[in-house]
C-alpha cells in the first residue's frame, strides 16, 4: 500500500473537497436563469399546469428557513388561489381594504410629521389607487400564491419568505412562467379574516405572496451595474 505523507494527503483532500459537483454548463444555465428573472405585471389568460405550480412550491420549500427561531415546528405553508374562484375574489377585496387602511394610517402620519420624505406622499397616492382599483397580482394573473411562514423568536419570517419567494421566482423563470411579487400580502397577514380564509391560527404566521402565469410579453434580461463597480475588497 502506498503511504501518502500527511501534508500531501491533506492537500489532496482539500483540492478534492473544492471540486464543484456542477459542470460549467450547469453554471451557464443557472446564470441564464438569474439574468432572465424579471418582474412580470401582465399575464396571458392561459392557465399553467398544476404540475408546474407544484414544482414552484417545491422550489420554495427548498429555500432556507430560520430553523432555530421556529424550533422544529412546521415552518412553511402554501395557499394557491386560482383566477375566477370565489375565495380569490374574497382576498382581492381584503387586499383593497388593507390598502385603504394603510393609506389612512400614512395620511395620519403625514399630517403629524411634515418632515417625512416626498416618497411617502408618492406611496400614499399609490395606496389610494390600490384601495380604489385593487392590488395588481390578486385577480390579474391565473394564480395568486400566498406563502405563510411560522413566526418565531427572534422574528425572521419575512426574511425567510423573501428567500422562499426568490426560489419560487427562479423556478417559475426556468419554466418560462411570469412572476410578480404581491408584497401587500405581508400586511394582509395582520388581518384576522385573511388568516381565517387561509385556515391558519391568527398571529402565528407571517405571510407574503406572488402572482404567476404566462407573461403577456417577455421582459428583456435584467440590467444591473457591473459587479466590480459596487464591490469593495477590504484587506
Ligand atoms: C421587497 C420587495 C417588494 C416588492 N413588491 C412588489 C410588488 O408588490 N409588486 C410588484 O409588481 N413588484 C414588486 N417588487 C418588484 C420590484 O419592483 C422589482 O424587482 C424591481 O423593480 C426590479 O425589477 P425586476 O424584478 O424586473 O428585476 C418588489 C421587490 C422587492 C424586493
Amino acid at each position: 500500500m502506498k503511504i501518502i505523507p500527511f501534508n500531501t494527503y491533506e492537500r489532496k483532500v482539500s483540492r478534492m473537497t473544492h471540486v464543484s459537483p456542477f459542470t460549467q454548463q450547469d453554471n451557464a444555465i443557472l446564470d441564464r436563469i438569474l439574468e432572465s428573472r424579471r418582474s412580470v405585471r401582465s399575464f396571458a389568460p392561459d392557465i399553467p399546469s398544476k404540475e408546474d405550480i407544484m414544482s414552484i412550491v417545491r422550489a420554495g420549500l427548498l429555500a432556507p428557513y430560520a430553523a432555530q427561531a421556529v424550533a422544529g415546528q412546521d415552518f412553511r405553508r402554501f395557499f394557491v388561489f386560482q383566477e375566477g374562484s370565489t375565495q380569490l375574489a374574497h382576498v382581492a377585496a381584503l387586499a383593497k381594504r388593507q390598502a385603504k387602511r394603510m393609506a389612512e394610517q400614512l395620511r395620519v402620519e403625514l399630517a403629524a410629521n411634515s418632515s417625512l420624505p416626498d416618497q411617502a406622499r408618492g406611496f400614499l397616492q399609490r395606496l389610494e389607487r390600490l384601495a380604489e382599483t385593487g392590488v395588481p397580482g390578486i385577480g390579474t394573473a391565473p394564480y395568486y400564491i400566498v406563502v405563510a411562514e411560522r413566526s418565531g423568536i427572534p422574528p425572521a419570517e419575512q426574511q425567510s419568505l423573501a428567500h422562499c419567494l426568490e426560489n419560487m421566482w427562479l423556478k417559475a423563470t426556468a419554466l418560462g412562467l411570469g412572476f410578480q411579487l404581491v408584497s401587500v400580502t405581508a400586511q394582509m397577514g395582520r388581518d384576522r379574516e385573511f388568516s381565517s380564509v387561509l385556515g391558519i391560527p391568527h398571529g402565528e404566521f407571517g405571510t407574503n405572496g406572488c402572482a404567476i402565469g404566462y407573461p403577456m410579453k417577455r421582459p428583456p434580461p435584467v440590467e444591473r451595474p457591473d459587479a466590480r463597480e459596487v464591490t469593495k475588497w477590504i484587506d
Side-chain angles (χ1 to χ4, degrees):
M1 189 175 80
K2 193 173 162 199
I3 309 262
I4 307 174
F6 185 69
N7 280 347
T8 326
Y9 174 76
E10 221 178 24
R11 264 208 310 279
K12 273 199 176 153
V13 167
S14 111
R15 213 177 299 131
M16 267 166 56
T17 54
H18 287 88
V19 170
S20 167
F22 302 103
T23 63
Q24 278 190 351
Q25 198 188 5
D26 293 334
N27 273 278
I29 293 169
L30 176 61
D31 287 345
R32 261 182 66 206
I33 296 168
L34 293 169
E35 285 157 13
S36 306
R37 184 219 51 81
R38 290 298 314 274
S39 291
V40 167
R41 299 192 174 90
S42 168
F43 296 90
D46 314 71
I47 314 280
S49 71
K50 287 198 169 156
E51 290 74 39
D52 278 0
I53 296 301
M54 288 315 294
S55 67
I56 292 169
V57 166
R58 175 153 167 74
L61 262 180
L62 291 173
Y65 69 101
Q68 299 268 351
V70 298
Q73 300 180 77
D74 66 323
F75 59 97
R76 189 170 290 156
R77 299 192 201 166
F78 298 81
F79 304 87
V80 182
F81 292 87
Q82 205 171 331
E83 201 177 21
S85 71
T86 319
Q87 289 297 12
L88 183 61
H90 187 180
V91 293
L94 295 182
K96 278 170 91 168
R97 184 171 81 183
Q98 186 61 40
K100 191 165 177 227
R101 277 189 194 138
M102 288 161 73
E104 277 159 11
Q105 207 177 323
L106 185 54
R107 215 173 293 119
V108 171
E109 281 170 35
L110 279 163
N113 183 355
S114 56
S115 67
L116 282 177
D118 283 348
Q119 255 169 309
R121 281 173 211 290
F123 185 45
L124 174 60
Q125 282 173 1
R126 268 212 315 284
L127 285 173
E128 285 169 340
R129 211 171 35 246
L130 297 185
E132 276 292 310
T133 60
V135 172
I138 309 185
T140 57
Y143 293 103
Y144 167 54
I145 303 181
V146 176
V147 190
E149 185 89 8
R150 188 172 287 283
S151 310
I153 301 170
E157 55 276 17
Q158 283 303 328
Q159 289 99 311
S160 293
L161 285 165
H163 292 295
C164 171
L165 285 160
E166 177 69 2
N167 264 22
M168 294 169 73
W169 202 336
L170 293 172
K171 183 64 187 177
T173 305
L175 292 168
L177 294 170
F179 182 107
Q180 177 177 22
L181 282 174
V182 184
S183 51
V184 78
T185 314
Q187 284 77 26
M188 286 163 71
R190 294 190 215 125
D191 185 331
R192 204 171 272 282
E193 202 175 329
F194 186 57
S195 301
S196 145
V197 172
L198 302 180
I200 53 176
H202 188 66
E204 289 188 18
F205 288 82
T207 53
N208 218 317
C210 62
I212 293 179
Y214 289 102
M216 202 56 126
K217 195 167 98 201
R218 262 172 227 291
V222 288
E223 278 182 21
R224 294 290 188 269
D226 188 313
R228 284 165 299 192
E229 283 170 23
V230 294
T231 307
K232 182 176 177 182
W233 292 78
I234 299 178
D235 296 323

